[in-house]
Amino acid sequence: MSEHKKRIIELLKRKGIDPVELERKLMAMLRKGSLSTEIRDYIKNIVKGGEK
Amino acid sequence: MSEVKLLLENIGVFRGRREFKLSKGLNILYAPNASGKTSLLAGLKAASISALTTDELSRILNDYEDRGRIKLVFDDKEYVVELIRRPDGKVEAWGRRLADNGVIKDIAFIDLENRLVNAVYAGDSERVRDILRDITGITFIETIIEVIDGLHSETQYKYEMEKKAYEAKKEEVERRIKELEKRLKKVRERLEEIRSDPTLEPARKEIEKIEKERKKYKEELDDVRRKELEKRNEYGLLDRDLRNLEAELRVYMKRREELMKEKRKLEKNLISIRKEIETLREKVKELKDRIDSINSDIREKKDLVKRRRDVLEYAQCPWCGCSIDKDRLHREIMELEEEIEKLKEEMIKLNETKSEYEIKIAELEEKGELRLKSIEKELDELNKKIKNVEEQYSSVRRTIGELKKLLKKLEEQRKYLELQIEIQEAKLEKFKDKIPLVSELRRLWEEERRLSSDRENEYARLRQIENLYREVKELEEMIRTLELLKEYFRIRLNELKSTVVDRINEAVLRHFKLLRLAELEYPILSQDFELTLARIGGIRTALAELSDAEKAILVILITLALKDYVAEDFPFYVVDTLVEFIDDTRAREILKYLMEVAGKNKVLIVTKTKPYTGEPKLLTQEDIVVNKVEI
């Protein structure tokens, strides 16, 4: 893993977001046919400090 | 050897029930055209994946039947799928499938319905590229980046608007403070001038005493006023919190009321639902008993048929020695077989009814006990939330009450101090006629007091505006987080692109034999997901220029490589019809290769057409050749 990526993950984790877990969740949602609007709401909630 | 059982009922060309066994390793379905090879694979597909369209399901169900059933038994687990034709002709399916991943259809069922097969045969490189990006998840990451981009622009816009509003308000207040301070400075300078004026001499001592007192009260007043403003701010924020908590509480209460209402209604109906389930269970049991009895009848009758067939070859009965009436025996066998057929038909109908009842039971359970449990769970969570909000609400109310008391006290103090200052100022009255400057002094004192108070108020406004700044800061923070997320997914996209391409190309290299059979060079997938095809010797070629056989080999190669990468654990890999496009020598090599790939854990199935012998016949177990390439 590149240093840059490690740093990004670290910064996101400090904000309470695990990007790897988020990626897994979003990919699963998309594979099951979720719409972009659902993805948008999910990300917005996460960024606002909602469900992690 | 481990086996896979596949029971098909009214699937494809098969009417009624058929049972097939597939083995781990390579299974070649070797039968003439229209014998049901594709039907068997369609059944397997429907039991394996849920992502099938209504059109695909319509093709799977037998054209003359309205209901169908597939049962897949694999690794001691059963997967049952029911198909039903609705009055509008659409076919629906339900039941438990082996996988829930839509990608499986593209990489494990290589038939003429497969979109990758169609794109390769159409020679459409762009479509092939798009499908490969879909299968590997690249398109999904791009969608995520697009969504984050949209959110980023939206938040950025909101941030800029709020920042502008904040800055405008702040600028206005700061300008006002500056003006007030400027005026205050002038007033104080003038006061200083007056203080050193010789005309004030006769009353100087007394005026200085009054001023000292006034200054003391003034300092106290400033302090009280500052505290009062701070507490008023605090009060405003708490009041807002209180209103939010009230609103939250109202939502929870309403939901609780709705759930309670539903629960009461459900509890009222529960007895009848339970009764209905019980009745249905009894009916299922009766049906099961009847099916068992029919089964034993069939067995008995089959036994009778067998015994009659056994003695057919003899001139005399080997047991009792009496002569054999072959015509009579044939008649009896025919009658028995007819009876068996009737019993089987009856059993199919009974099984259908049994399935219907079982589905109804599941639906009723879903509507009754299960719903009740889920309501109770939700109510439990809701009660906890309500308790929590109520606690917060009372704590905020308590603090507000205390603040109110404090504010009242501060107000009283302020009024008292203002009065004291006014008294001190009034003391100057007696010098007014003797010394003309005293009137100006008094006016300036008053102005100084007013300006100081205004300045304090403006500072309080500034602090309020700083709260607005907190919201601007939150938006700024959101923008930063979205930027980080965008960067993370951008890195992942690049990583994924190169990893996917590398891993697929590695897999392609592992299946090098196939590459050679298609007379192509390695590598075939470039970083931007383009298929870069080159003939042995390095001469570039295009998808459209490949022969049908080469296209078939290429599709098998790519899907095997993709399956290695995306769904290695999925146990089936099916190639329908494509081997027909390949000449015998290369087809044999491919089959050998697939047998190697299958090993002992995977189930690979390939169809191959047997020359027509003039006898129309449906596929049977004997037509499935296991782990043998020479047919």
Side-chain angles (χ1 to χ4, degrees), chain A residues 1-2 4-9 11-12 15 17 19-24 26-27 30-32 35-37 39-41 43-48, chain B residues 100-103 134-138 140-141 143-144 147-148 151 154 158 477-482 484-485 487-492 495-496 566:
Chain A
M1 202 195 304
S2 73
H4 180 52
K5 188 182 164 192
K6 268 190 205 162
R7 177 95 188 115
I8 300 280
I9 293 178
L11 287 172
L12 282 165
K15 286 172 182 281
I17 298 170
V20 182
E21 183 57 27
L22 177 65
E23 179 186 341
R24 194 193 58 72
L26 293 175
M27 292 294 271
L30 284 161
R31 283 205 196 281
K32 282 186 181 169
L35 301 170
S36 297
T37 47
I39 298 294
R40 180 187 171 282
D41 291 346
I43 297 176
K44 197 173 174 183
N45 190 26
I46 292 276
V47 171
K48 271 188 164 177
Chain B
D100 194 21
N101 188 342
V103 175
D134 263 9
I135 293 172
T136 50
I138 297 286
F140 293 151
I141 299 274
T143 307
I144 295 171
V147 168
I148 294 175
L151 264 175
E154 193 184 292
K158 207 171 159 195
E477 192 62 20
M478 258 182 88
I479 291 171
R480 174 86 187 113
T481 312
L482 285 165
L484 285 172
L485 274 178
E487 181 61 8
Y488 170 79
F489 281 105
R490 199 189 53 75
I491 296 170
R492 285 292 295 136
E495 244 178 34
L496 205 65
V566 185

Side-chain angles (χ1 to χ4, degrees), chain B residues 514-531:
Chain B
L514 293 177
L515 200 63
R516 279 289 172 256
L517 285 170
E519 296 176 354
L520 294 170
E521 281 283 8
Y522 169 87
I524 62 156
L525 197 61
S526 72
Q527 292 292 322
D528 50 1
F529 281 73
E530 295 283 355
L531 276 175

Side-chain angles (χ1 to χ4, degrees), chain B residues 248-262:
Chain B
E248 204 178 336
L249 206 58
R250 266 200 303 276
V251 172
Y252 289 153
M253 295 285 211
K254 198 176 163 212
R255 179 71 190 138
R256 185 164 70 177
E257 209 176 291
E258 283 168 6
L259 285 171
M260 292 295 281
K261 209 169 146 190
E262 194 186 342

Side-chain angles (χ1 to χ4, degrees), chain B residues 569-581:
Chain B
D569 294 335
F570 187 71
F572 302 116
Y573 178 76
V574 170
V575 181
D576 186 18
T577 316
L578 292 197
V579 177
E580 310 291 344
F581 303 143

Side-chain angles (χ1 to χ4, degrees), chain B residues 103 106-108 110 116 132 135-136 499-512 514-515 522 524-525 529 531 552-569 573 575 593-594 597 602 604:
Chain B
V103 175
D106 295 323
I107 52 172
I110 319 307
L116 188 61
L132 290 178
I135 293 172
T136 50
T499 322
V500 169
V501 169
D502 287 351
R503 286 188 59 181
I504 291 175
N505 279 331
E506 263 172 47
V508 167
L509 198 59
R510 275 203 300 279
H511 304 298
F512 191 71
L514 293 177
L515 200 63
Y522 169 87
I524 62 156
L525 197 61
F529 281 73
L531 276 175
I553 299 171
L554 187 68
V555 170
I556 293 172
L557 171 71
I558 295 172
T559 48
L560 272 178
L562 282 170
K563 191 174 173 300
D564 284 355
Y565 174 65
V566 185
E568 203 188 354
D569 294 335
Y573 178 76
V575 181
Y593 185 72
L594 290 179
V597 170
K602 300 267 185 303
L604 264 63

